[in-house]
């Protein structure tokens, strides 16, 4: 997903003029690649059907699962304010009994609940995704609600995301820092027990690494030993390093993998990385 998002961002910055006036280019270059990444077979009309007819007009795409339309997607060119397309999209959905509506201009995506009683159509937007202004980590999470696997629970998913974001904003008003809240969230018992590397015992099995580097990032570990966690941390810095430093890191990784290391030595190296890079490291057991 990350590579696809980065490529779409590159296209939006490099070919903005084309996408401002060419809706078909938006569909082919920006929207369909994301649908593929989300598990939709865009070449299979039993999953993604273009120009789906309703009594209110033709929707650009119908997303189909188990023979049933589960969402309509309306595409616009980049010059269009996508919120203005919500009323027509809601009509398509309501006409066909489809709960989930999606509208996108390639850069901004809106997720619409077609069946929100007692609300104006404009108030039915339950989720927004902005590819050019949000961090990629957040965008990845938000798009997961539109995957083929999750689409039927999309409305509830985006309401919960909104609840989480609103709760964090409210908690910040109590004087908590963003770093404190981030650390609290990652230590919730969701993936495993989160501990400092200094609290790890030689017999513990490492499942993954969290690095706080302006924000928490989860890194899987290939192996289950503490030295495997050290390798994962070093790999994280490969893309952020100069060519000379990359060579040094790659040599260090090879040595760590080839030789046994005392537990205390690995702890000392991780502590040194924290201090040198100004980051925080936590391990998942």
């Amino acid at each position: 997903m990350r590579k696809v998002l980065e490529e779409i961002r590159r296209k939006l910055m490099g070919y903005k003029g084309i996408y401002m006036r060419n809706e078909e280019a938006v569909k082919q270059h920006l929207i369909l690649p994301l649908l593929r990444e989300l598990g939709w077979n865009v070449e299979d009309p039993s999953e993604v059907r273009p120009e789906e007819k309703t009594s209110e007009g033709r929707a650009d795409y119908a997303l189909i699962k188990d023979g049933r339309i589960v969402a309509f997607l309306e595409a616009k060119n980049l010059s269009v304010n996508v919120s203005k397309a919500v009323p027509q999209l809601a009509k398509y959905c309501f006409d066909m009994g489809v709960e989930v509506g999606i509208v996108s201009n390639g850069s901004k995506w809106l997720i619409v609940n077609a069946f929100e009683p007692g609300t104006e159509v404009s108030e039915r937007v339950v989720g927004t995704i902005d590819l050019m202004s949000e961090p990629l980590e957040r965008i990845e999470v938000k798009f997961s609600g539109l995957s083929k696997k999750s689409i039927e629970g999309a409305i509830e998913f985006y309401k919960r995301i909104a609840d989480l974001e609103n709760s964090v904003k409210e908690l910040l008003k109590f004087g908590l820092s963003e770093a404190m809240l981030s650390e609290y969230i990652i230590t919730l018992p969701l993936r495993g027990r989160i501990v400092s590397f200094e609290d790890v015992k030689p017999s513990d099995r490492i499942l993954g690494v969290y690095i706080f580097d302006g924000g928490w990032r989860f890194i899987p570990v290939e192996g289950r030993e503490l030295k495997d966690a050290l390798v994962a941390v070093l790999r994280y810095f490969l893309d952020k390093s100069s060519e000379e430093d990359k060579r040094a890191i790659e040599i260090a990784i090879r040595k760590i993998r080839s030789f046994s290391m005392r537990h205390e030595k690995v702890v000392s190296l991780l502590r040194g990385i924290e201090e040198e890079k100004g980051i925080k490291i936590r391990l998942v057991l």
Side-chain angles (χ1 to χ4, degrees):
M1 171 64 82
R2 184 68 61 90
K3 288 183 179 180
V4 172
L5 291 173
E6 289 173 345
E7 177 64 13
I8 288 173
R9 277 185 168 181
R10 185 188 66 79
K11 289 177 179 177
L12 283 166
M13 289 186 288
Y15 304 100
K16 182 177 179 180
I18 293 174
Y19 300 127
M20 290 285 286
R21 62 179 184 272
N22 191 325
E23 182 180 302
E24 191 61 29
V26 169
K27 293 176 184 177
Q28 297 296 325
H29 302 167
L30 309 179
I31 292 177
L32 291 182
L34 267 171
L35 290 181
R36 288 190 190 96
E37 192 66 18
L38 292 168
W40 297 98
N41 185 347
V42 299
E43 282 80 30
D44 184 348
S46 70
E47 285 193 26
V48 180
R49 202 149 58 220
E51 295 296 313
E52 183 71 7
K53 185 178 180 181
T54 76
S55 64
E56 296 291 339
R58 292 184 180 273
D60 286 322
Y61 297 102
L63 303 183
I64 303 162
K65 187 175 179 181
D66 299 326
R68 181 174 66 88
I69 297 175
V70 290
F72 280 122
L73 191 158
E74 190 70 5
K76 299 297 178 183
N77 68 48
L78 192 57
S79 68
V80 174
N81 181 342
V82 286
S83 62
K84 293 182 178 180
V86 170
Q88 187 61 47
L89 174 66
K91 288 180 181 179
Y92 297 153
C93 292
F94 195 80
D95 177 62
M96 300 293 286
V98 175
E99 183 182 35
V100 181
I102 309 161
V103 59
S104 174
N105 61 9
S107 178
K108 193 167 185 177
W109 294 61
L110 302 182
I111 297 86
V112 178
N113 182 0
F115 300 128
E116 187 71 38
T119 63
E120 297 294 328
V121 170
S122 60
E123 298 173 339
R124 296 180 190 174
V125 175
V126 294
T128 63
I129 307 172
D130 194 328
L131 272 74
M132 297 305 293
S133 67
E134 296 186 79
L136 288 175
E137 294 87 354
R138 187 181 303 160
I139 293 171
E140 283 187 279
V141 171
K142 285 187 172 184
F143 266 120
S144 64
L146 300 180
S147 69
K148 183 181 176 183
K149 178 181 178 181
S150 303
I151 189 71
E152 290 157 308
I155 301 303
E156 187 68 18
F157 174 88
Y158 288 102
K159 286 182 177 180
R160 292 291 169 260
I161 289 288
D163 288 344
L164 175 61
E165 293 178 351
N166 289 332
S167 295
V168 168
K169 290 176 183 177
E170 290 301 314
L171 286 168
L172 288 172
K173 294 178 183 178
F174 286 89
L176 296 176
S177 69
E178 292 182 11
M180 289 171 68
L181 278 174
S182 297
E183 190 141 0
Y184 177 83
I185 290 171
I186 72 158
T187 55
L188 290 173
L190 304 177
R191 188 190 296 269
R193 186 161 60 96
I194 312 294
V195 299
S196 166
F197 55 84
E198 293 180 328
D199 296 326
V200 172
K201 300 179 180 64
S203 59
D204 285 334
R205 292 169 59 82
I206 312 298
L207 301 180
V209 178
Y210 276 109
I211 294 179
F212 188 83
D213 185 14
W216 284 106
R217 292 162 172 78
F218 177 75
I219 305 172
V221 172
E222 297 178 7
R224 292 293 180 261
E225 297 181 19
L226 187 59
K227 75 172 188 177
D228 298 315
L230 174 59
V231 168
V233 172
L234 290 173
R235 283 196 174 282
Y236 170 78
F237 287 104
L238 272 176
D239 292 337
K240 300 172 175 289
S241 303
S242 65
E243 288 302 317
E244 182 178 351
D245 287 342
K246 280 183 181 180
R247 287 192 292 271
I249 291 173
E250 288 169 347
I251 291 170
I253 288 173
R254 286 197 295 271
K255 287 183 177 179
I256 293 167
R257 283 181 163 172
S258 300
F259 303 104
S260 61
M261 297 182 67
R262 290 186 302 108
H263 182 83
E264 295 76 11
K265 177 64 175 178
V266 181
V267 170
S268 176
L269 289 171
L270 287 169
R271 188 185 301 116
I273 292 173
E274 268 196 334
E275 293 172 356
E276 179 185 346
K277 301 293 186 181
I279 62 170
K280 293 181 180 180
I281 299 170
R282 297 292 182 269
L283 303 182
V284 186
L285 304 183

